[in-house]
Amino acid sequence: MRLRALLDTDALGLRLLGGEDELDRAVRGVMTTDLRDPSRYLSGGELVLTGLAWRRSAADSEPFVRILVQAGVAALAAGEAELGDVPDDLVVACARHRLPLFAVHESVAFATITEHVVRQVSGERAGDLAAVVDRHRRMMTAGPAGGGPDVVLDLLGSDLDLRAWVLSPAGRLIAGSKVAGPALPAEVCARLAGEHLAAVRTGRRGPYRVAVGGTTYSLFPIRSSGRAAQGPRGARDVRESLLSDWLLAVEADAGDWPGERLDLLQGVTQLIAVERDRRDAARTVRRRLAQEVLELVQTGAAPAEIAARLRVAAPVLLPGLGAAPHWQVVVARVEWDHTDGEAPKAGPLTQSLLEEILVDPLATGPEPSDRIAVAHTGDEAVALVPLPAVSSEHDGSEAGVLADTLLAAVRDPLSAGLDGDGRLTLGVSAAVHSAEGLRGALEEARHARRVAAARPGRVCAAGHQELASHVLLLPFVPDDVRRAFTARLLDPLRDYDRRHRAELIPTLEAFLDCDGSWTRCASRLHLHVNTLRYRVGRIEQLTSRDLSRLEDKLDFFLALRMS
């Protein structure tokens, strides 16, 4: 705002004492001080309010005014409540340095002036920011010159003092303002994403206000126009975008914001949506390569043909590396529990979600996280993950680690988004070293996904290692057979434990885990060997089984695994 506007506001009680030619100066803030030297707290453009407590004699005015002028303040306003009329020596000093000087009537509180200036300046800054955002939107729509979401987030921080971040639906940090301070902790990102998904799923209107760790955040959905599928009544089925749309998290309570500021933030989300669509478009080549390889593998094409297609894909996914990579396959599927009419298509959604899980959206160079191609067929998404060439002794064991850790960071938010409505299951293959192995890797990943689907929970994954053990068989045992088998062996022990607190079930688990070793099991349970023998004898008596026989040990082992 301009100094001239202050004089036009009667409620401020300001009287101009000097500097009429300088009234077009811009005011960028306000500061109240009675320090003799307040320069350390000044950044330029302030209206300085003072009660003159720093003035002990006429000689103090000149150095005080000189300090203000050197700091670049816009004007000085002196209160009349303590000393009455503003001293002539201060008027003369301000005139000498061309610093506008106001007198503040004793009936007007400095807080009233401060509130008015802050409100006016904030409104003008918001208008300026809106113009910048609009210009930035046009630039990004026309080409990549806009600079991405980080630029507009920086504007929110510098012009509106708003700390803001862009998150994926899986809770991954995509962008953040450089002036927002430290990045959000991963656990906070996951919590915000989960709250956002739960709010969208239940049909609440944004922005959504969430308190995490004593801090209030407002969450704004980022709707991607490129994927705005329409339902039979022209309305978008929320399940088609629930797990793929980004969100803008702002560290503020938007509940009492004026409409203009809410509209500004909505404009910011539209701007970021343009960038999201651009990044999706950049994935088109990798998606097409994956689709071509998947079709060749599924139709039984010759390994030489598949290998030729992989040689085309390798430079795109692994630029700069001369060696052809090994490959790993990840299969994902989203299934809805309830459908009203025609179910939304899950294939494109699962493809986008799998990219969010496997790909870091910030990666633009040849980083491993950006070397993933995802296709979809039906309701299933298939990721072709290239791995750098490794030594001959490599056994692909890292694939199992991937299956175990793949969903660790995103399980909570995705579970919140799917709660009561759907499931996400993933299967991960071992690494294969040639085109001949891709068909087997695809089947392996699909089989692992079926194992994951047999487990409880909204979000589950399984790796190739589990296909080589009893775990492969147990999920496919019918529920009635499972219940009957475990009840016959374990119910007598549970009933006995309930009545006598004998801990027979924990004893049985430890005994089998120690491969039937009496000394190791007794040591683990902190029991005397004779006490352990008594407990095992009681187990055998109650179940009519013999724990020295391999068949009976195996039955107990399977019963415990299925229970």
Side-chain angles (χ1 to χ4, degrees):
M1 65 179 302
R2 303 294 174 179
L3 287 174
R4 192 179 306 278
L6 295 174
L7 288 174
D8 295 336
T9 307
D10 295 337
L12 299 183
L14 295 178
R15 181 165 48 94
L16 183 64
L17 300 180
E20 185 175 359
D21 294 338
E22 305 293 334
L23 292 182
D24 286 328
R25 290 188 182 185
V27 179
R28 297 186 178 87
V30 62
M31 176 193 177
T32 299
T33 184
D34 279 315
L35 296 174
R36 296 171 66 88
D37 181 3
S39 57
R40 72 182 69 181
Y41 305 111
L42 297 170
S43 58
E46 295 93 348
L47 170 65
V48 175
L49 305 176
T50 180
L52 301 177
W54 50 267
R55 181 183 177 277
R56 295 179 175 84
S57 69
D60 293 334
S61 293
E62 172 67 24
F64 181 79
V65 171
R66 189 168 54 249
I67 289 171
L68 298 186
V69 171
Q70 290 173 349
V73 303
L76 174 65
E80 297 178 324
E82 291 292 332
L83 302 179
D85 291 340
V86 177
D88 290 339
D89 49 89
L90 182 59
V91 176
V92 171
C94 288
R96 181 182 298 117
H97 292 281
R98 303 178 62 84
L99 179 66
L101 175 63
F102 298 95
V104 183
H105 194 273
E106 62 181 10
S107 64
V108 178
F110 283 175
T112 300
I113 299 175
T114 300
E115 181 181 353
H116 176 81
V117 172
V118 169
R119 184 167 60 248
Q120 293 299 316
V121 170
S122 296
E124 291 179 1
R125 289 166 69 187
D128 291 342
L129 178 60
V132 172
V133 168
D134 184 64
R135 183 168 64 254
H136 195 74
R137 181 189 297 113
R138 292 195 300 269
M139 291 170 63
M140 290 186 67
T141 303
D150 303 88
V151 173
V152 73
L153 295 184
D154 285 341
L155 290 173
L156 288 177
S158 61
D159 283 34
L160 293 184
D161 298 323
L162 291 177
R163 289 159 47 87
W165 302 265
V166 177
L167 306 177
S168 80
R172 299 191 186 278
L173 183 63
I174 294 172
S177 167
K178 295 182 179 64
V179 298
L184 281 180
E187 59 272 16
V188 176
C189 292
R191 173 75 182 279
L192 293 177
E195 296 283 355
H196 171 259
L197 290 173
V200 173
R201 184 174 49 79
T202 54
R204 289 165 49 197
R205 295 187 62 182
Y208 316 114
R209 288 176 287 165
V210 179
V212 178
T215 302
T216 299
Y217 299 88
S218 296
L219 310 179
F220 294 80
I222 298 174
R223 309 294 189 192
S224 177
S225 58
R227 298 186 310 280
Q230 300 295 315
R233 298 183 182 178
R236 192 182 185 192
D237 190 321
V238 68
R239 291 176 296 184
E240 294 190 23
S241 61
L242 175 65
L243 300 176
S244 57
D245 281 341
W246 290 353
L247 68 137
L248 175 67
V250 180
E251 189 180 297
D253 187 344
D256 57 355
W257 281 5
E260 294 81 1
R261 179 167 286 204
L262 288 172
D263 290 343
L264 173 61
L265 266 294
Q266 293 297 342
V268 169
T269 64
Q270 294 169 11
L271 178 60
I272 297 173
V274 173
E275 176 65 13
R276 173 63 194 269
D277 290 341
R278 177 171 287 114
R279 294 190 185 192
D280 275 352
R283 294 176 178 174
T284 301
V285 174
R286 294 199 302 274
R287 286 176 171 177
R288 186 172 65 249
L289 289 172
Q291 199 74 40
E292 292 174 354
V293 173
L294 178 61
E295 290 174 0
L296 290 174
V297 171
Q298 291 190 133
T299 57
E305 186 177 359
I306 299 175
R309 179 54 55 189
L310 290 178
R311 283 193 294 272
V312 173
V316 176
L317 300 177
L318 291 172
L321 297 184
H326 302 305
W327 300 92
Q328 188 177 355
V329 176
V330 180
V331 171
R333 189 182 184 96
V334 171
E335 298 173 295
W336 303 112
D337 292 346
H338 310 287
T339 57
D340 183 11
E342 185 179 355
K345 296 179 181 179
L349 166 65
T350 311
Q351 179 186 42
S352 178
L353 180 59
L354 188 54
E355 287 173 339
E356 290 290 356
I357 294 173
L358 294 173
V359 180
D360 178 3
L362 279 178
T364 56
E367 297 297 325
S369 58
D370 201 31
R371 298 166 180 167
I372 297 165
V374 183
H376 73 84
T377 172
D379 290 339
E380 179 183 77
V382 179
L384 201 61
V385 183
L387 305 172
V390 291
S391 58
S392 58
E393 62 267 18
H394 171 73
D395 60 3
S397 60
E398 81 286 346
V401 174
L402 178 60
D404 294 337
T405 61
L406 190 58
L407 298 178
V410 300
R411 179 174 277 108
D412 288 345
L414 295 184
S415 296
L418 291 165
D419 187 29
D421 202 26
R423 298 190 71 210
L424 168 67
T425 52
L426 290 93
V428 184
S429 78
V432 295
H433 311 285
S434 65
E436 289 86 346
L438 272 183
R439 185 175 181 84
L442 177 61
E443 291 304 317
E444 188 175 57
R446 284 175 169 164
H447 209 130
R449 192 207 63 79
R450 288 193 289 270
V451 170
R455 296 171 174 167
R458 291 288 167 186
V459 180
C460 299
H464 69 97
Q465 299 96 328
E466 300 176 66
L467 305 184
S469 71
H470 63 282
V471 179
L472 173 64
L473 303 176
L474 295 185
F476 303 100
V477 176
D479 288 342
D480 54 344
V481 175
R482 183 194 300 256
R483 286 192 294 269
F485 183 74
T486 58
R488 184 167 62 251
L489 280 175
L490 302 183
D491 280 1
L493 306 183
R494 290 173 178 146
D495 292 341
Y496 192 87
D497 281 348
R498 224 173 2 253
R499 294 195 308 269
H500 303 284
R501 299 181 181 178
E503 298 188 358
L504 296 185
I505 291 290
T507 300
L508 176 62
E509 291 175 334
F511 185 72
L512 295 175
D513 196 43
C514 293
D515 299 325
S517 169
W518 296 97
T519 55
R520 281 195 290 124
C521 184
S523 176
R524 174 181 296 188
L525 296 175
H526 305 290
L527 299 175
H528 192 278
V529 172
N530 289 340
T531 303
L532 175 62
R533 291 185 182 278
Y534 171 80
R535 289 187 182 181
V536 171
R538 178 62 67 184
I539 292 171
E540 293 175 335
Q541 181 184 23
L542 291 171
T543 60
S544 300
R545 297 297 185 110
D546 183 356
L547 278 169
S548 65
R549 299 178 66 246
L550 176 61
E551 294 86 344
D552 289 340
K553 286 181 181 178
L554 181 59
D555 283 348
F556 277 122
F557 176 81
L558 294 175
L560 289 170
R561 286 291 186 273
M562 287 190 293
S563 64

